[in-house]
Amino acid sequence: GFGEFLLLKSQFAVYATLIAVDGSKLALENAHIILDGQAASNAASEALLQLLNPVVDLDKALHLFGAIHVDKIELSGNKLVASGTTTIPVRPRS
């Protein structure tokens, strides 16, 4: 990808494991980050991961209210397969 981080503009690549966190978030773990063709320092990697994680929060992004609890994530061919439990949630009143 390409990112603008404060005063720095950089091409970056992230090689990581995608994990389920708290059943409703997908996050990057064991990341190896490349900035402008060079391995990022630990500090730069940590800062970028703070910006990227969670990659998606199912409850916030999709307003699922706990309907899906992801336990496991697998890559199968070109598909990401998430498995877990589902429930019909009680929608909070606004």
Side-chain angles (χ1 to χ4, degrees):
F2 177 79
E4 294 184 28
F5 312 102
L6 296 176
L7 301 175
L8 176 68
K9 295 179 182 181
S10 178
Q11 293 286 338
F12 70 93
V14 178
Y15 302 92
T17 303
L18 191 63
I19 62 166
V21 177
D22 299 330
S24 64
K25 299 173 187 79
L26 305 183
L28 301 171
E29 180 180 72
N30 301 323
H32 176 70
I33 298 175
I34 306 293
L35 294 173
D36 289 328
Q38 300 292 321
S41 68
N42 288 343
S45 292
E46 189 63 34
L48 185 56
L49 287 176
Q50 292 276 332
L51 291 171
L52 295 175
N53 279 330
V55 175
V56 67
D57 182 325
L58 299 173
D59 289 336
K60 285 184 181 179
L62 302 176
H63 308 287
L64 293 179
F65 307 107
I68 297 174
H69 187 276
V70 178
D71 296 317
K72 185 177 177 184
I73 299 173
E74 297 176 312
L75 185 60
S76 177
N78 290 328
K79 294 181 184 177
L80 177 74
V81 178
S83 58
T85 57
T86 59
T87 187
I88 298 173
V90 175
R91 181 179 175 155
R93 293 181 186 219
S94 305

